[in-house]
């Protein structure tokens, strides 16, 4: 079942005097999709969300909901549900009345609105708390009320601004799963703002990484993580190694590059690569400690200089022959090469796991 609308942003901008908080954001979201705006503080995520909501007037550009322009429509006429980090519940109303409130504003008859509100209170697991007031609830419970209130009137679009930011990690993971289940079950179109890259990767159908008021990279989480468009995106999401190198030869989407003085390896060409200065981008879990005899397509001589125990995995700091350090993540399963700090080793990886990006 899909109840959500399609969303399109065309060259959306917001300037404050000469400062561009949002400097031309365009995207197209299908009905029932979950989009996350991810990016460092000040990159324009909230401003973009507030323009979609109708709380901030764009300086230029266009917003379409289900193909209809809503750019200058008043906020309350846009049929959008919102959830904020600070819950924003009405303190003098019970859980049930808070959830029923948007239906009251829409003049839904009393019996029907209480029935629909009770249904959503149950969906978020608060049926035994219906008659409590917000102050009598935990943070996680308050956020569930806010969620039910945002969804109860079947909005075309749901906007969430750091909704789980105030919760502890365990509760955050649980709420992520609950929000995702509700979104899928109800077919909601969601635009979600977060700082948390893990949250973005696990919840989204599409991720827009924002930088200085623009979208730096847009795509499904797997593509953003495994094939980032540029170094900013690669370094913003997950752990990364960037190994400076020099291009020797290029052929059919690949290149032969030199690391240090003498070692040549093969890499995949990234999208933003030109003839300028380059790095090999490689995730720590895609590079392996190995023996000289192991059959990796790329192999470099190295020395282990440190190990950090992470529980399920360990992170090895390894120095290459030219002096630069990289990080290698290895699951702690008791297999793999036994290796200690200070020992000489080799690091190996497959060609498709190393991507050439602009330095
Ligand atoms: P955060 O993750 O910290 O919430 P954000 O990505 O949501 O950041 P925005 O709140 O959208 O960023 O702000 C983007 C930029 O616009 C920031 O540099 C901010 O200082 C600036 N800005 C926002 N509102 C105003 C305003 N009313 N007047 C001037 N500048 C503003």
């Amino acid at each position: 079942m899909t109840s959500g609308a399609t969303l399109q942003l065309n060259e959306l901008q917001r300037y404050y005097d000469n400062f561009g908080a949002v400097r031309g954001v365009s995207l197209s979201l299908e009905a029932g999709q979950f989009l996350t705006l991810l990016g460092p503080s000040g990159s324009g995520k909230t401003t973009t969300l507030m323009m979609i909501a109708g709380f901030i007037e764009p300086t230029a550009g266009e917003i379409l909901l289900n193909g209809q322009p809503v750019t200058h429509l008043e906020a309350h006429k846009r049929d959008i549900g919102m959830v904020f980090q600070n819950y924003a519940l009405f303190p003098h109303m019970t859980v049930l009345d808070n959830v029923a409130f948007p239906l009251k504003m829409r003049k839904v008859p009393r019996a029907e609105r209480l029935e629909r509100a009770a249904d959503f209170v149950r969906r978020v697991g608060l049926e035994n708390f219906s008659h409590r007031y917000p102050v009598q609830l935990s943070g996680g419970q308050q956020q569930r009320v806010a969620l039910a209130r945002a969804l109860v009137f079947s909005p075309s679009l749901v906007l969430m601004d750091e909704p789980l930011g105030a919760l502890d990690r365990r509760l955050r993971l649980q709420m992520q799963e609950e929000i995702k289940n509700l979104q899928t079950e109800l077919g909601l179109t969601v635009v979600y703002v977060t700082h948390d890259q893990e949250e973005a990767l696990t919840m989204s159908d599409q991720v827009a990484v924002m930088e200085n008021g623009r979208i730096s990279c847009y795509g499904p989480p797997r593509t953003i993580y495994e094939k980032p468009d540029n170094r900013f995106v690669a370094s913003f999401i997950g752990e990364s190694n960037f190994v400076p190198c020099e291009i020797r030869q290029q052929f059919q989407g690949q290149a032969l590059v030199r690391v240090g003085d003498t070692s040549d390896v093969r890499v995949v060409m990234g999208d933003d690569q030109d003839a300028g200065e380059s790095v090999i981008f490689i995730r720590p879990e895609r590079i392996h400690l190995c023996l000289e005899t192991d059959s990796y397509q790329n192999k470099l001589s190295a020395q282990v200089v440190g190990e950090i125990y992470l529980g399920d995995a360990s992170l090895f700091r390894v120095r290459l022959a030219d002096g630069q350090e990289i990080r290698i993540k290895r699951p702690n399963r008791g297999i793999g090469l036994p290796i200690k700090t200070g020992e000489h080793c080799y690091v190996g990886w497959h060609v498709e796991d190393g991507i050439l990006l602009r330095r």
Side-chain angles (χ1 to χ4, degrees):
M1 183 182 84
T2 296
S3 62
T6 60
L7 171 70
Q8 202 176 327
L9 307 181
N10 295 331
E11 278 300 311
L12 203 58
Q13 297 180 19
R14 173 69 209 203
Y15 277 79
Y16 294 101
D17 297 324
N18 288 330
F19 177 75
V22 173
R23 302 189 292 156
V25 163
S26 300
L27 59 85
S28 183
L29 193 63
E30 287 171 28
Q33 282 204 317
F34 194 115
L35 165 71
T36 296
L37 304 180
L38 181 69
S41 188
S43 55
K45 306 180 296 290
T46 296
T47 307
T48 302
L49 204 72
M50 291 300 153
M51 286 194 282
I52 300 172
F55 297 135
I56 294 179
E57 180 82 6
T59 310
E62 201 180 24
I63 304 166
L64 305 174
L65 263 182
N66 262 344
Q68 299 299 315
V70 297
T71 322
H72 304 291
L73 197 65
E74 291 161 75
H76 69 275
K77 293 187 179 156
R78 293 192 187 190
D79 192 27
I80 289 175
M82 291 211 64
V83 188
F84 301 98
Q85 179 171 341
N86 63 6
Y87 322 131
L89 299 176
F90 301 114
H92 60 287
M93 287 187 193
T94 64
V95 166
L96 192 66
D97 288 341
N98 260 286
V99 176
F101 185 78
L103 300 174
K104 191 173 179 183
M105 295 305 288
R106 287 168 175 78
K107 307 211 178 342
V108 175
R110 187 179 152 78
E112 187 188 337
R113 71 177 184 249
L114 289 181
E115 191 182 325
R116 274 168 65 183
D119 176 37
F120 272 86
V121 168
R122 184 189 51 74
R123 283 178 190 270
V124 296
L126 290 179
E127 56 272 40
N128 295 329
F129 298 80
S130 297
H131 299 294
R132 288 209 190 171
Y133 288 88
V135 68
Q136 299 170 305
L137 301 174
S138 71
Q141 289 165 340
Q142 290 187 52
Q143 197 51 292
R144 288 201 169 88
V145 179
L147 184 63
R149 190 181 57 181
L151 304 184
V152 72
F153 60 99
S154 306
S156 323
L157 184 65
V158 183
L159 305 178
M160 303 195 195
D161 195 352
E162 300 259 8
L164 309 181
L167 307 180
D168 69 48
R169 180 173 160 78
R170 196 181 55 80
L171 193 56
R172 212 163 64 223
L173 294 177
Q174 186 187 340
M175 289 288 293
Q176 281 173 13
E177 205 172 318
E178 289 177 19
I179 290 175
K180 189 67 199 166
N181 288 343
L182 271 173
Q183 183 255 334
T184 314
E185 191 184 316
L186 301 172
L188 303 169
T189 310
V190 175
V191 182
Y192 192 96
V193 165
T194 185
H195 275 107
D196 182 336
Q197 33 151 318
E198 217 175 285
E199 193 161 287
L201 293 177
T202 55
M203 296 183 79
S204 318
D205 299 304
Q206 304 289 339
V207 177
V209 182
M210 293 193 66
E211 182 188 16
N212 295 329
R214 291 207 171 88
I215 293 179
S216 180
C217 191
Y218 186 87
R222 186 180 291 271
T223 311
I224 300 258
Y225 183 80
E226 295 188 9
K227 282 204 173 303
D229 287 349
N230 54 55
R231 184 166 177 168
F232 169 78
V233 174
S235 59
F236 192 73
I237 296 181
E239 285 245 22
S240 307
N241 291 303
F242 297 105
V243 183
C245 65
E246 200 181 295
I247 300 176
R248 312 278 292 169
Q249 224 180 327
Q250 291 184 29
F251 42 90
Q252 294 173 347
Q254 293 191 1
L256 188 72
V257 299
R258 177 150 292 185
V259 179
D261 290 339
T262 54
S263 308
D264 288 345
V265 291
R266 268 205 299 150
V267 294
V268 176
M269 300 291 291
D271 291 340
D272 79 334
Q273 189 52 45
D274 54 24
E277 305 221 293
S278 306
V279 286
I280 307 170
F281 154 71
I282 185 162
R283 296 283 183 199
E285 71 274 17
R286 294 295 174 91
I287 185 160
H288 309 275
L289 291 168
C290 63
L291 299 170
E292 190 174 11
T293 48
D294 283 338
S295 61
Y296 287 99
Q297 293 151 307
N298 291 322
K299 217 174 331 166
L300 296 174
S301 171
Q303 187 187 23
V304 178
V305 291
E307 178 184 353
I308 303 163
Y309 179 73
L310 304 172
D312 61 339
S314 289
L315 201 60
F316 290 88
R317 281 172 42 230
V318 171
R319 188 174 297 142
L320 302 179
D322 67 345
Q324 61 179 309
E325 272 188 23
I326 58 168
R327 288 172 169 239
I328 298 181
K329 193 175 180 184
R330 191 167 78 166
N332 284 328
R333 283 191 306 242
I335 54 168
L337 202 60
I339 189 131
K340 294 194 186 67
T341 299
E343 285 184 354
H344 178 259
C345 65
Y346 284 83
V347 296
W349 72 95
H350 300 295
V351 170
E352 65 272 17
D353 290 331
I355 298 176
L356 199 67
L357 294 178
R358 201 179 313 162
R359 194 181 299 185

